[in-house]
Amino acid sequence: MPAVLAFLTALAACCALVPAAGPARATPRPAAAAGGPVRQTLPVRQADAAQHADAVQGAHAVQQTAAPFDTAPAVAALGRLLPARAAQFTLTAAPRSGADTYSVSGTAGAVAVRGTSPAALLTGVGWYLENVAGVDIGLPGDSTAALPAVLPAVPAPVTRTAVVPHRYALNDTDDGYSGAYRDFAAYQHEIDVLALHGVNEVFVQAGAEYPYYRALQEFGYGADELRGWIPAPAHQSWWLLQNMSGFGGPVSEQLIAARAALGRRITDQLRSLGMTPVLPGYFGTVPPGFAARNPGARTVPQGDWVGFTRPDWLDPTGPVFGRLAAAWYRAQREAFGDSTMFKMDLLHEGGQAGPVDVTAAAGAVQRALLTARPGATWAILGWQDNPSDALLAGVDRSRMLIVDGLSDRYEGLDRDADWHGTPYAFGSIPNFGGHTTIGANAEVWARRFQEWRARPGSALQGIAYLPEGTGTDPAAFALFTRLAWQDGPVDLAGWFGGYAARRYGAADPHAAAAWDALRQGPYAMPSDAWSEAQDGLFAARPSLTATSAAGWSPPAMRYDPALVRRALDELLAVAPALRTGDAYRFDLVNLARQALADHGRALLPRIRAAYEAGDLAGFRSAAAGWQDALGLLDELLGSDRRFLLGPWLAAARAQGASPAEADQLEYDARSILTSWGGRGPSDDGLHDYAGREWSGLVSGLYAERWGMYFDSLDAALATGTPPAPVDWFGVDDDWARRTDGHPVTAGGDPVALARAAAAAVAAGARAPGRG
């Protein structure tokens, strides 16, 4: 294993520079905020040190003698976020005696921020940017170009304290749907922005295959076997959830080593900011044949998950589990360092307990965790019937945190009763599969979080921002993370009005009107058994009766599309000076994309009506209108890099050490967006689960599919014969196996293209027989 051994050698050398860690604390709070020895000098590689020094230039911080923590990582992050203005901030470490706190004061050009951790300092900077400077840095998009040369004074000193200790971010599926092939710079920027918005606990998946690869070689498995069992990176999220294995593999040794090194850089970055890297925990997933190779082990077949054969589960109550868990956690620590929080789910989405006592198994899983990481917190997803009463009965619930994925989805929830007082975080999954659709149950967030927190004896101790894919809806991200730092209700009308101004760097009546329309539309969805808006039908496998692209998406509109059209018209009318900003251009393309996607739900019934009436001319006209809309959509999306397929594919190819491996990884990256898996899982419902409106995907697959379909219907009408059947999996799989290039840079004028989209939607809305 030369690549992995080389990685371990380099890792051991760099870790020699890190102060030795003491025993793990009995608190899940970030290390730099918990008192005692602080491990914050973690940018230890030469490349990292050079990058750190470059980022710090032009910024400064007051370093107190015996300060509670080193402010340098926060200063470096500030240098990355605001390179031309960072020198106007002074960041000072403050001792922590309770909850995370920041204070902001200062005169023009001399802003002072005190905070109880490096991340809290950045949260204070975020408050200043939002409330004093009037700009936004979101996920994605920013308006920092609107900052004046001299930053404005703080009118009066302000102190804010987090109202909950846990501010958790990222779904188990984030790597798969947000981009498993991102480089460190992309992760680093995301971490900086998460800190700016008050997050302090972040799930980290990159490199999570490494402890399995190392530990299982001590239990009878060869390296080649394990590399064939481990899926390619874009599909590893579901392997870690014990849903499937092997797809897209085998993975190479160099890829395992590279991803472990990336994971270490990510965890180092989080720890340096006083944030907790939430690492996967071990709960018993094993390859085939484990019991035969390890006497005394008992494994339980887990059946199928959407057409995939699930990996076996090693009985945690048996004699082998503890030894394997110890080896697994040892390998994880060697690669990624330590943490105080570990995320894992037993029997996820239909797993089978078989003869295993779930209560005893849960206790054994927690004991293994606490033996390896004394005082650690087990984070578990609140989803469907998970965690069960049987599981909770077997654990020390004070060492648990349930990150609820359903807080805003249903009426009548009582999480204190459901989970018997187990600490939990109010959470939402406002995005599934990385869909580009905007919107959230925002009114439910603002009302219910406060109601639940105010209950006598409430166990609510955090928020959990859990979109399956990030970077699609900056407004939802900004609003949800606001909950954790506001002691009292959020006035949504006021919040959206303020957001409209800072998002584009200045107040504008048209921007305010746009966001007020969105507040009343996509961001006013109720808790009606859904937490995301409907997806777009352009991404659906062609059918005249299609109601969604993804199998588990809402089958109908969840808001009035006229409000999106109104918002688009208003956003196009903002002052010309605001139209060049980064956030404005992202939002404009995104809103025009949404208007076109919503319009598709009006177009498809017209095509169906013409076909069923046998009106060939009418069918051809309506089908041509659909294809014209797809062409305009692709051109619009091509005007902003964040809606391009090309960078997604280029990032995957860049991880390959040979042309063959680059092709293999590109298939991994393409298939997750389209076929998802092989024929069985794909046709069982996974196809297009991660569908999204991206330039290159719209023109390269969606338009091609619909063109084939309409041709078959056209021929059927013309000849009076049934339409020719189409093997849609074959079409999807063929596209996923291509290696044709796609642009990695944007082209075209987003404002002009958004105007064209608005005009097309308006014309369609006026057409006779509109839906």
Side-chain angles (χ1 to χ4, degrees):
M1 299 180 290
V4 174
L5 291 175
F7 164 69
L8 284 176
T9 301
L11 189 64
C14 79
C15 289
L17 302 176
V18 181
R25 302 174 184 85
T27 169
R29 294 168 180 162
V38 180
R39 298 169 58 211
Q40 78 281 5
T41 55
L42 288 170
V44 291
R45 301 170 187 80
Q46 289 184 352
D48 289 351
Q51 181 186 47
H52 174 82
D54 289 343
V56 171
Q57 283 189 7
H60 67 280
V62 174
Q63 298 289 342
Q64 298 176 335
T65 302
F69 57 85
D70 183 6
T71 61
V75 173
L78 186 55
R80 291 187 293 270
L81 293 167
L82 298 171
R85 304 289 186 275
Q88 297 181 47
F89 288 88
T90 296
L91 306 183
T92 305
R96 174 173 173 166
S97 59
D100 275 322
T101 300
Y102 63 79
S103 299
V104 186
S105 60
T107 58
V111 182
V113 182
R114 286 173 54 85
T116 51
S117 74
L121 287 170
L122 292 175
T123 308
V125 172
W127 179 91
Y128 171 84
L129 294 175
E130 175 182 334
N131 294 280
V132 180
V135 299
D136 180 68
I137 299 177
L139 280 178
D142 71 80
S143 56
T144 56
L147 285 170
V150 177
L151 295 178
V154 182
V158 168
T159 297
R160 292 284 186 273
T161 298
V163 300
V164 286
H166 300 286
R167 284 97 61 198
Y168 184 106
L170 304 187
N171 200 294
D172 296 78
T173 66
D174 183 71
D175 254 29
Y177 294 140
S178 299
Y181 295 99
R182 288 169 287 176
D183 61 13
F184 176 69
Y187 284 103
Q188 185 179 49
H189 177 72
E190 182 175 63
I191 291 166
D192 290 346
V193 178
L194 289 172
L196 203 70
H197 287 264
V199 169
N200 69 340
E201 297 162 350
V202 181
F203 180 68
V204 179
Q205 181 187 314
E209 66 272 37
Y210 179 80
Y212 286 93
Y213 185 57
R214 289 292 298 160
L216 285 164
Q217 290 184 57
E218 301 175 25
F219 288 80
Y221 290 88
D224 289 346
E225 280 185 286
L226 294 171
R227 289 198 294 271
W229 178 62
I230 297 169
H235 288 79
Q236 284 185 12
S237 298
W238 298 273
W239 169 64
L240 292 172
L241 288 167
Q242 205 176 57
N243 295 151
M244 47 87 78
S245 64
F247 186 83
V251 294
S252 69
E253 191 171 285
Q254 75 83 21
L255 187 63
I256 293 173
R259 285 176 51 77
L262 173 62
R264 179 58 187 245
R265 294 186 74 186
I266 294 168
T267 57
D268 282 356
Q269 182 67 34
L270 288 165
R271 282 186 289 260
S272 76
L273 290 173
M275 303 167 78
T276 300
V278 182
L279 299 175
Y282 186 70
F283 58 96
T285 302
V286 291
F290 186 89
R293 306 183 195 198
N294 293 275
R298 178 170 66 172
T299 57
V300 181
Q302 290 299 291
D304 292 342
W305 179 81
V306 198
F308 281 104
T309 300
R310 302 173 62 132
D312 291 344
W313 183 39
L314 174 62
D315 180 359
T317 66
V320 180
F321 178 85
R323 291 193 288 113
L324 176 53
W328 192 95
Y329 283 115
R330 183 168 59 249
Q332 184 188 62
R333 174 179 268 155
E334 289 172 354
F336 307 117
D338 212 346
S339 183
T340 55
M341 184 174 287
F342 296 80
K343 169 71 174 63
M344 49 185 162
D345 294 82
L346 272 63
L347 308 175
H348 179 263
E349 291 191 350
Q352 305 296 312
V356 176
D357 182 324
V358 172
T359 299
V365 168
Q366 188 178 55
R367 281 194 301 276
L369 170 63
L370 296 178
T371 298
R373 305 288 188 273
T377 294
W378 175 357
I380 190 168
L381 180 64
W383 178 250
Q384 297 179 348
D385 296 326
N386 187 48
S388 66
D389 287 348
L391 184 151
L392 293 174
V395 300
D396 176 355
R397 290 184 285 108
S398 71
R399 305 308 321 156
M400 300 280 290
L401 178 71
I402 303 171
V403 290
D404 187 10
L406 301 172
S407 296
D408 63 340
R409 189 159 173 165
Y410 302 106
E411 290 294 322
L413 295 174
D414 185 343
R415 293 323 207 179
D416 294 292
D418 291 342
W419 297 324
H420 312 291
T422 306
Y424 70 95
F426 180 95
S428 175
I429 307 177
N431 171 284
F432 285 78
H435 302 154
T436 33
T437 308
I438 61 170
N441 300 352
E443 187 279 331
V444 181
W445 296 351
R447 170 177 48 84
R448 192 171 290 178
F449 175 74
Q450 296 296 337
E451 291 174 352
W452 288 8
R453 197 167 71 87
R455 289 174 178 170
S458 174
L460 194 160
Q461 293 190 14
I463 62 166
Y465 179 66
L466 301 170
E468 287 194 341
T470 53
T472 64
D473 197 333
F477 165 70
L479 176 59
F480 190 84
T481 51
R482 170 73 171 269
L483 299 176
W485 290 86
Q486 177 151 325
D487 192 7
V490 176
D491 169 16
L492 289 180
W495 188 89
F496 276 100
Y499 183 77
R502 65 180 174 272
R503 183 70 176 157
Y504 311 128
D508 181 276
H510 294 290
W515 279 100
D516 194 58
L518 294 173
R519 173 185 67 84
Q520 298 174 63
Y523 295 95
M525 296 185 296
S527 50
D528 57 356
W530 300 102
S531 58
E532 71 164 349
Q534 71 292 329
D535 58 15
L537 298 184
F538 292 131
R541 276 191 179 175
S543 167
L544 293 180
T545 59
T547 58
S548 68
W552 290 276
S553 288
M557 296 289 299
R558 294 191 63 222
Y559 57 78
D560 181 357
L563 290 165
V564 170
R565 296 197 297 268
R566 183 195 308 171
L568 176 57
D569 290 340
E570 293 286 358
L571 205 58
L572 282 164
V574 303
L578 301 184
R579 296 177 194 164
T580 59
D582 175 66
Y584 174 79
R585 294 205 160 203
F586 173 84
D587 289 353
L588 184 64
V589 171
N590 202 18
L591 198 54
R593 176 209 54 74
Q594 190 63 56
L596 280 170
D598 291 348
H599 185 49
R601 289 182 173 269
L603 292 178
L604 191 59
R606 301 176 197 173
I607 301 171
R608 177 183 179 184
Y611 178 78
E612 291 179 347
D615 179 0
L616 181 58
F619 170 79
R620 286 175 174 172
S621 176
W626 178 274
Q627 293 296 79
D628 287 346
L630 274 168
L632 176 56
L633 176 61
D634 193 81
E635 192 176 1
L636 168 75
L637 297 167
S639 68
D640 190 295
R641 190 178 189 275
R642 289 156 290 199
F643 293 97
L644 298 182
L645 173 66
W648 177 274
L649 302 182
R653 295 196 65 84
Q655 296 293 315
S658 67
E661 187 175 27
D663 289 350
Q664 174 193 2
L665 301 183
E666 181 172 355
Y667 170 72
D668 181 44
R670 283 177 177 250
S671 61
I672 195 72
L673 302 178
T674 53
S675 56
W676 210 104
R679 183 178 293 275
S682 186
D683 288 343
D684 278 355
L686 285 175
H687 67 83
D688 299 300
Y689 182 89
R692 55 196 68 186
E693 286 118 8
W694 278 359
S695 179
L697 187 56
V698 169
S699 60
L701 178 64
Y702 300 160
E704 179 179 317
R705 289 196 306 204
W706 283 103
M708 294 173 63
Y709 182 62
F710 291 149
D711 285 347
S712 72
L713 298 185
D714 189 294
L717 283 177
T719 63
T721 58
V726 179
D727 176 10
W728 293 121
F729 172 77
V731 172
D732 293 347
D733 192 57
D734 173 73
W735 183 88
R737 295 183 185 280
R738 296 177 191 172
T739 56
D740 53 314
H742 289 267
V744 296
T745 56
D749 180 352
V751 177
L753 289 164
R755 289 193 190 283
V761 171
R766 292 191 296 268
R770 62 184 179 272

